[in-house]
């Protein structure tokens, strides 16, 4: 049966997090299709992975038998994360926008799993694996909006996930999530609710689509 790698990075619990709510919906539909499947779950807010260090980085370019003890220990942790990525049949990532970009915990995970010559480069080891990113944001950064130039979530993740790692990337974007909390955005609540509903529908459809693809 198929394996789903599920990554959450919101600092808020599900009831207060748009990205977690949608990843949870995706996972629910996925598990309905794959009741005997495997889910590898990482909550980067609750259990962050180490930020990359010089030893952890350089170990990726040094033969294993030449590693220092420090490099060996740190690289073993990177390999564990990389193997989770490589064994996944599908990947689900919750990526809320914080200060115009992704949470630092998600960046740390990416810095660990992006390894030139293995997961990135000419023949990425997970090339073609479908990855669904729930890119929630409090406002709107869509093309044509005033804040379009500040969109550093989708642009960045496309560069690393699709271009560098060769993953089959799709975004689901719940936006205007602060409208129901910020009185100054009250008139945008209907647009937020429509965006939220579309996100849940898209998550369900994407989960079913991937289930059918992997079962074929």
């Amino acid at each position: 049966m198929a394996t789903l790698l599920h990554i959450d990075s919101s600092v808020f619990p599900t009831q207060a997090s748009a990205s977690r709510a949608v990843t949870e919906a995706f996972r629910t539909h996925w598990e309905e299709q794959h009741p005997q499947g495997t889910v590898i779950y990482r909550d980067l807010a609750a259990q962050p992975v180490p930020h990359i260090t010089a030893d952890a980085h350089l170990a990726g370019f040094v033969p294993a038998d030449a590693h220092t003890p420090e490099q060996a220990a740190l690289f073993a942790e990177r390999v564990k994360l990389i193997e989770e990525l490589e064994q996944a049949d599908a990947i689900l990532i919750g990526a809320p926008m914080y200060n115009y970009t992704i949470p630092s915990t998600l960046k740390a995970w990416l810095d660990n799993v992006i390894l030139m010559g293995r997961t990135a480069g000419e023949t990425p080891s997970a090339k073609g694996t479908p990855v669904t990113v729930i890119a929630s944001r409090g406002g709107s950064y869509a093309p044509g909006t005033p804040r379009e130039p500040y969109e550093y979530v989708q642009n960045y993740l496309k560069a690393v996930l699709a271009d560098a790692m060769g993953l089959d990337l799709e975004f689901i974007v719940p936006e205007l999530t602060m409208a129901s909390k910020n009185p100054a955005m009250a008139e945008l609540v209907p647009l937020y609710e429509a965006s939220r509903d579309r996100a849940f529908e898209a998550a369900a459809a994407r989960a079913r689509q991937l289930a059918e693809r992997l079962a074929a």
Side-chain angles (χ1 to χ4, degrees):
M1 296 297 291
T3 296
L4 174 68
L5 174 60
H6 176 184
I7 306 288
D8 274 327
S9 61
S10 172
V11 298
F12 299 104
T14 300
Q15 62 269 25
S17 166
S19 65
R20 285 182 186 270
V22 179
T23 61
E24 182 179 75
F26 180 106
R27 179 169 167 176
T28 296
H29 287 281
W30 171 273
E31 291 178 327
E32 288 173 356
Q33 301 295 322
H34 298 284
Q36 305 303 317
T38 300
V39 175
I40 301 170
Y41 181 57
R42 282 196 173 269
D43 185 336
L44 299 178
Q47 295 182 306
V49 302
H51 283 276
I52 202 78
T53 65
D55 280 330
H57 174 72
L58 293 174
F61 302 94
V62 177
D65 59 5
H67 284 171
T68 66
E70 293 79 8
Q71 288 176 332
L74 292 167
F75 193 63
E77 292 301 312
R78 288 189 70 187
V79 169
K80 180 179 180 180
L81 297 173
I82 288 169
E83 289 177 344
E84 289 178 352
L85 173 80
E86 292 173 334
Q87 74 185 66
D89 297 291
I91 303 164
L92 172 65
I93 299 175
M97 178 185 281
Y98 292 163
N99 300 315
Y100 304 120
T101 189
I102 62 174
S104 64
T105 51
L106 180 55
K107 180 62 164 59
W109 178 81
L110 286 164
D111 286 340
N112 277 279
V113 300
I114 297 172
L115 180 60
M116 291 301 299
R118 182 164 175 174
T119 60
E122 293 186 5
T123 56
S125 56
K127 183 177 181 178
T129 302
V131 54
T132 306
V133 174
I134 312 304
S136 61
R137 60 277 315 272
S140 179
Y141 298 77
T145 63
R147 293 200 172 191
E148 179 185 0
Y150 302 101
E151 208 302 310
Y152 301 114
V153 173
Q154 288 175 266
N155 290 335
Y156 169 70
L157 291 178
K158 178 182 181 299
V160 295
L161 296 174
D163 299 343
M165 301 176 72
L167 302 177
D168 177 12
L169 173 63
E170 180 166 318
F171 287 105
I172 296 174
V173 185
E175 62 178 8
L176 300 168
T177 62
M178 289 300 296
S180 62
K181 305 175 180 68
N182 184 350
M185 298 175 67
E187 65 181 19
L188 299 175
V189 168
L191 292 177
Y192 152 66
E193 292 175 341
S195 175
R196 176 198 60 196
D197 293 346
R198 285 195 301 271
F200 282 119
E201 292 168 4
R206 175 72 165 170
R208 290 193 296 268
Q209 175 196 47
L210 292 178
E212 292 172 0
R213 182 196 304 183
L214 294 169

